[in-house]
Structure formats: structure tokens, C-alpha cells
Amino acid sequence: MATPAVSGVEVKIVNSNKGKGLFACQEFKKGDVIFEEVPLVSSQFLWNEFYKYHACEFCLKSLETAEKMAQRLASIPTLTLPQSQNCLVRPEFQVHCPHCQVTYCSKECQEMAWNQYHRTLCMGPSRGDESHPLGILQAAWRNIHFPPESCSIMLLTKMIAMVKQANDPAAVLKTFSQFTNSTVNEEQQIMHKLLGSKFRAQLETLRSLVMQTLYDEQIPQWFTSEGFQSLFALIGRNGQGIGTSSISVWCQNCDAMDLPDDERASLDDFIDQLYIDLEKESGTFLNCEGSGLYSMQSCCNHSCVPNAEVQFPHNCHKLQVVALENIAPGEEICVSYLDGCMLERSRHSRQKHLRDNYLFNCMCSKCQAQAGNPDVTSSEEEDEEDMEAEGT
């Protein structure tokens, strides 16, 4: 049965194996924004915050100006960006929680956070004190889940706080129940991937700390060993990575400028060199990073030949799903769960990554066309595995 959603798309059951999928109700041209969406809940990664990536506690907007962010990530304190008007960060609008001093990009974000979950999670003057119950939980998480991060314990705590603060807790629970659930065996595979081989003991440590801090009799099922594992698997399987950057927005706005040829060439050269400097100093960790739960985006299935992609053009947690090619009415909208490099690897490598991380075998047109290819791992992956073996 189809479920109407935002204009132009609908959620339908694909089949018993894939479950739900997102389908076009109208024609979309290449480059069209199919829909925009804000998450039900989102959270910055704790290690990302620990390493001084400054983001709005609610919407994850990068709080540094493009110039300040570039200076920090490139380790060039004197760096000056041209066309400074193309940076949309406005420090004068930023506000702090009066109790714990976490920062928000605006008064609106502060109020929404307080009304949804922050009244429960506010650490008051103890923020940063690892003797505070939430501080203990955050430190335990960092000791268990090292970078690169793929989810956050704080996403889970915000979900609990949202139920605790809600005028209608049942409605909030119903909203979270829409996300894909996993079998017990799949949950354990997800836990193993997220936390490592000792996940059972680590999961119990996290459960105990969360229970001591946030137990609520309205949702006792979330605090049992089985319920906590299911809740954790839900955010592990359905969480969408979020990346925000004031630098990238500045670059987009520079690209959109109508400039004389000589000025355009000079600006492009500057941006090219900037990214060389950024990558040399900070590698690929250039964004404020976190994850969120999105109602519509979570219904998009994977394809190794996606017809759409997820973008974060607003320097906040609001995402866009954008058409990569023309999409006809009735056609399923698919994104890639793999990054660009992984998409270029062999069928065997892609399938292995999808099984390990998302627990399914891809049957997209590309995988079916390559079904007769030898089960050979890509040379890039072999190199990575060799490096990992040398490091252990």
C-alpha cells in the first residue's frame, strides 16, 4: 500500500526482501531537488566535537566562519579568504544555553532543542565534567567507539529525552517505530560492526549508564538488554551521516558568482590550493559530522547505479535528495550507500561492504550485469586490508 508523503514522491512496499522504497509520483529532471527534509533527531559525533569541530547543538550547522574554519583545518592562522561575503555564518546570532553553555546558531534552535530534549539532557554548570552522569556516558562512548564514527550514543539519549519531555509520548514512540527493525542475528551483526568483537560487554556498559541517567517508566522496554540492543541497532542501521561545512558553502557561493574570466581563474586557483592545504593537514576529516534519523530518506533503497544522491547544501542537518538523472513517474528513487570510490570497485568488493555494513546482497542492475564476474577483491581493498594487518 502506498503512503503519501512530501509532494512528488510516495513510499511503497517493494517486495518482501527489500521492504519499503521511495517512488516518484511525477517526472524529475537531472539536477532537480526531489525533496528536502529535516531529521526527527540528530546529533554531532562526540569525537568530532572533542576535536573542536564547532557545530550548533541542534541543527549541526558549522559555527565557524569559512575563514576561521579554513585557518584551523589548514593550520594557516594568517589565511584570508577572498569574497568573504559568500560565507553565510553569522556569529552575532549565535546563543548559548544559559545553564550548560552549549552553543546554538540561533535563538530558534536553542528553543527547539530545549523544548524537544535539552531540558532533560542539559548538564548545567557540570558540562565538560566527566563525573557528571552524562559526562561519564560520553567518556565511555569515546573509549569504546573510536574515529571514524558512524553513529553516536547521544542520538539514542536524545530519543529517550524526546519521549520523556513529550506531551504525547505514544506519538513520539510511533514516529520512531517507522524505522526498519532488524532480527536478533542482524542486530548482533550491527553491534559487532559498530563496537567490535567485545560488543556484548560494551553494550551492557552503555545500557547501564544510560539507565542510571535516563530511565523512564513510560519506555521500560528500551532499557532491557534486548530492547537497548534493538534501539542501538535502529540508529546503527537507519542513521544517515551528516556533514556540514561553512567552507563548502562559501565555495558553492563562489562558484555561483558571475565573474570576469581572469577573476574566475584566480578564484578557482585559490580554492584548488585551499583544498590541497586542507587535505594535507586534516585529510578527509573536514566537516562537522554527525548522524540523524530521517523519515523519508530512510525509505530510499541502495543501488550501485543510483539515480539520486543525498546532499547537505545548507550547512545544517537539512538534507536534499537530488536527481542524478531524469526520473520517470513510478520509478524507484535509489541512492548509493557507498561512497564514490567504493562504487568503482569490483562487484565482489561492493557486495562484501554492503553485507558487512548493511546486511543485504545488492541485486541492482549493475550487480546483476556483473554476476558472472570472478569473485575477486579490488586491488584498493587488498591494499587497505594489508595495511590493517600490518597495523594489528
Side-chain angles (χ1 to χ4, degrees):
M1 181 177 179
T3 303
V6 296
S7 176
V9 297
E10 63 180 358
V11 179
K12 296 191 295 185
I13 299 297
V14 180
N15 55 50
S16 58
N17 293 323
K18 292 178 68 175
K20 295 183 293 185
L22 193 66
F23 290 79
C25 298
Q26 66 180 57
E27 182 180 11
F28 293 101
K29 298 293 187 182
K30 180 179 179 179
D32 283 353
V33 175
I34 300 172
F35 65 89
E36 289 191 333
E37 183 179 17
V38 296
L40 299 174
V41 60
S42 63
S43 180
Q44 184 181 8
F45 292 145
L46 285 174
W47 276 108
N48 192 261
E49 180 184 4
F50 185 81
Y51 283 120
K52 309 301 182 184
Y53 289 80
H54 304 294
C56 174
E57 196 279 332
F58 181 77
C59 77
L60 274 62
K61 177 176 289 187
S62 175
L63 298 177
E64 295 177 291
T65 64
E67 186 168 279
K68 290 288 187 183
M69 193 175 193
Q71 289 172 349
R72 178 173 63 85
L73 293 176
S75 291
I76 306 176
T78 58
L79 181 65
T80 301
L81 298 189
Q83 307 294 346
S84 60
Q85 76 279 4
N86 287 331
C87 175
L88 302 184
V89 175
R90 296 293 178 262
E92 64 270 22
F93 295 139
Q94 295 172 12
V95 296
H96 303 280
C97 171
H99 309 289
C100 67
Q101 300 304 306
V102 296
T103 309
Y104 297 92
C105 67
S106 65
K107 186 68 175 177
E108 291 75 16
C109 277
Q110 181 195 7
E111 291 175 350
M112 286 190 287
W114 183 259
N115 292 331
Q116 289 183 25
Y117 59 80
H118 190 64
R119 187 169 70 248
T120 297
L121 298 180
C122 182
M123 294 171 64
S126 298
R127 177 169 173 78
D129 179 2
E130 292 193 353
S131 65
H132 185 283
L134 274 176
I136 294 171
L137 175 64
Q138 292 171 353
W141 173 257
R142 286 195 298 268
N143 288 332
I144 289 171
H145 194 344
F146 296 99
E149 295 165 278
S150 52
C151 68
S152 173
I153 191 68
M154 295 309 294
L155 193 63
L156 187 150
T157 62
K158 285 184 179 182
M159 292 171 66
I160 296 172
M162 286 172 69
V163 176
K164 290 172 74 72
Q165 290 190 201
N167 293 326
D168 186 356
V172 177
L173 287 170
K174 184 178 180 180
T175 300
F176 288 133
S177 70
Q178 70 184 280
F179 294 100
T180 303
N181 292 317
S182 308
T183 65
V184 173
N185 183 56
E186 288 174 336
E187 288 176 0
Q188 292 180 354
Q189 291 182 58
I190 294 170
M191 294 302 96
H192 185 280
K193 191 67 181 178
L194 290 176
L195 302 178
S197 59
K198 299 179 181 179
F199 72 88
R200 288 182 176 85
Q202 294 170 332
L203 200 61
E204 182 58 28
T205 296
L206 295 171
R207 185 188 74 86
S208 177
L209 291 170
V210 171
M211 189 168 181
Q212 292 172 30
T213 309
L214 294 170
Y215 181 78
D216 192 286
E217 60 185 14
Q218 299 175 101
I219 43 173
Q221 70 276 15
W222 279 9
F223 296 94
T224 66
S225 296
E226 297 78 10
F228 191 76
Q229 176 176 282
S230 297
L231 188 62
F232 215 109
L234 183 150
I235 65 173
R237 185 165 192 173
N238 296 279
Q240 164 66 44
I242 299 169
T244 67
S245 169
S246 51
I247 297 175
S248 65
V249 172
W250 172 82
C251 285
Q252 292 167 16
N253 292 335
C254 285
D255 289 342
M257 295 179 73
D258 184 14
L259 297 172
D261 290 346
D262 57 339
E263 290 186 35
R264 167 56 58 193
S266 177
L267 183 57
D268 288 347
D269 288 344
F270 180 91
I271 293 173
D272 289 343
Q273 184 59 51
L274 173 62
Y275 272 97
I276 291 172
D277 294 337
L278 292 171
E279 185 172 354
K280 180 180 178 181
E281 186 66 28
S282 299
T284 58
F285 296 99
L286 301 180
N287 297 336
C288 296
E289 295 181 342
S291 63
L293 294 176
Y294 295 82
S295 296
M296 293 300 298
Q297 174 276 332
S298 68
C299 296
C300 291
N301 286 312
H302 164 83
S303 173
C304 296
V305 279
N307 57 11
E309 69 176 3
V310 174
Q311 299 179 1
F312 291 91
H314 302 297
N315 189 29
C316 68
H317 64 192
K318 179 187 285 188
L319 62 71
Q320 289 183 347
V321 173
V322 179
L324 294 176
E325 58 186 52
N326 295 342
I327 300 174
E331 188 175 350
E332 184 175 7
I333 297 166
C334 292
V335 299
S336 173
Y337 298 174
L338 308 175
D339 62 28
C341 293
M342 180 60 73
L343 274 178
E344 298 305 315
R345 293 183 175 179
S346 68
R347 176 182 182 273
H348 177 75
S349 295
R350 300 195 311 273
Q351 294 274 1
K352 180 179 184 300
H353 186 89
L354 291 168
R355 281 194 302 271
D356 289 347
N357 291 276
Y358 302 100
L359 312 180
F360 71 89
N361 291 313
C362 183
M363 295 298 292
C364 72
S365 58
K366 182 175 181 178
C367 285
Q368 292 189 59
Q370 296 176 347
N373 291 4
D375 285 341
V376 177
T377 303
S378 297
S379 58
E380 295 93 338
E381 186 172 288
E382 290 173 349
D383 291 342
E384 289 176 2
E385 290 173 349
D386 289 343
M387 291 175 65
E388 290 176 0
E390 290 174 0
T392 57

